Each structure stands twice: as structure tokens, then as C-alpha cells.
Amino acid sequence: MTVFFYFFLSHMLGDYVFQTSFIARNKNKNIYVLILHILIIYACMYIVILPKGLTNNCLLILLSVMHFFIDIIKFKYGKKDFFKGADYYLFDQLIHLLTLLIVSHFFVGQEMYLSYDLVLKSSVGLFNAFTIGILSGYIFNDMTKYKKDYFGYLIRFSIPFLPNLWFLLLSVPVYVYFILRFMDTQKSKQNHEKLFSLSLSYIITIIILEVA
């Protein structure tokens, strides 16, 4: 499970942090943009893991190829309604996570230059910031009007880095205040979305940090 979070962090970096708006808009329409996206995924894995040995290098290439074939499904059928909603988004992320679990199982142990604690907290923070934010957008909004919520990203990303459970609990009213303070309180639907994202981020953080 330890190695999995190195792969997971790589996935979050390549699929979210370094996926520009241009790539997100065009990877399902232009095969060359999709290939660029896969190359970025591979580069993120290589930089985070720095694989040693033939087996580990081949596993990174294999995972990149698997990512390509997962994304090519939406490339071919993206105009169908199923591929535009939350059901497909969840399905897509679950398939990606499954491939990460499978490949990490066969990874040959090696010394990592990034500490496990940093990788674990960073991957959970990025999951909170991006994945939960987008999922909430699907649930509460029309995703064609989705806007990046940088303040929300920062708040949710920081949750796993709070020093201990007491700080985590004490941060709840503080974070809720800041989220509501910097939002248009007349937009109740938006408030519900942000608070849902924040609540789910706390739950995910506590569960993963306790288990991992």
C-alpha cells in the first residue's frame, strides 16, 4: 500500500495539476493532445518515483498505456450522455485507481527520495482539492459552467497537513467561516456545494490517514 500512494500522487499531478484547460478541452477530440496528456502522466510518474531496474521502468510504461486506453474510451464515445455525467466520472476514477493498485502490487521495492508522509498527505490533499471539487460540481451544478475554485482548492488541500486530530477538529469552524465569508451567501446552491466538498474532504482525510 505504501508504493500505491507514490503512484496515486503521480496520477493526481498528471491528471489534475498539470492538465491545462487546453488539454482538458481537447484530449477527447484530438489524438495528439491525448498523447501529450499521457506523456505528462508518464513524466509525473517518473519524476515522483524515479524507477530503478527494468521491471519498474516497464511498469511505468505499462501504466501509461493503460491510462491511454482508459481515456480513449471517452475519446471515441464522449458525445454520449453517459460520458458527460457524474456516473462516468466516478467510473473513470475507479478504473484509474484499480490500475494503480494492480501496478503498485508488482512494483519492485526500492528506496524513494520523497518521504512517505509527504507523499501520503500531498496525494490526499490533491484528491480533496480536485477530485472532490469536481465530483461536487457534477452533483450540484451544470459542469459546462464549472469554474476552478482556487480558494477551495487551497483550503481542502491543507486539511491533511494539519498537525493532529485536535487541529483538524478546531479547523472545521475556521474553514467553514472562511468559505462562507468569501462566497456570495445569496447563492445557497453554491454554499451547499462548497460545504459538501469541505465535509467530504475531512471524512476522506481522517479515514485515509488513520488507515494508511
Side-chain angles (χ1 to χ4, degrees), residues 33-160:
V33 177
L34 177 56
I35 291 172
L36 172 63
H37 173 60
I38 299 304
L39 289 175
I40 292 172
I41 293 287
Y42 175 79
C44 288
M45 287 192 293
Y46 193 90
I47 291 170
V48 169
I49 296 171
L50 290 181
K52 298 176 181 178
L54 179 62
T55 299
N56 288 349
N57 276 281
C58 288
L59 286 174
L60 263 63
I61 295 172
L62 174 62
L63 192 54
S64 300
V65 172
M66 294 167 76
H67 195 114
F68 174 80
F69 280 107
I70 293 169
D71 283 4
I72 203 73
I73 296 173
K74 189 170 183 179
F75 180 85
K76 294 185 67 173
Y77 304 106
K79 293 183 179 179
K80 296 182 181 295
D81 290 340
F82 172 71
F83 293 90
K84 299 176 182 178
D87 290 342
Y88 174 74
Y89 180 72
L90 283 172
F91 172 76
D92 176 73
Q93 291 303 306
L94 286 172
I95 293 297
H96 281 306
L97 288 177
L98 181 61
T99 62
L100 297 178
L101 281 168
I102 293 172
V103 170
S104 62
H105 176 74
F106 293 99
F107 191 80
V108 178
Q110 65 172 58
E111 185 177 352
M112 299 292 194
Y113 74 97
L114 292 175
S115 73
Y116 176 65
D117 184 65
L118 175 63
V119 168
L120 174 63
K121 291 179 179 179
S122 296
S123 57
V124 174
L126 290 175
F127 181 84
N128 291 343
F130 292 97
T131 307
I132 290 178
I134 292 174
L135 179 61
S136 300
Y138 274 116
I139 294 172
F140 288 91
N141 290 311
D142 177 0
M143 282 300 290
T144 60
K145 301 177 181 177
Y146 179 78
K147 294 182 179 179
K148 291 184 177 180
D149 171 29
Y150 293 105
F151 182 74
Y153 290 171
L154 180 62
I155 289 288
R156 296 193 299 274
F157 176 78
S158 69
I159 293 174

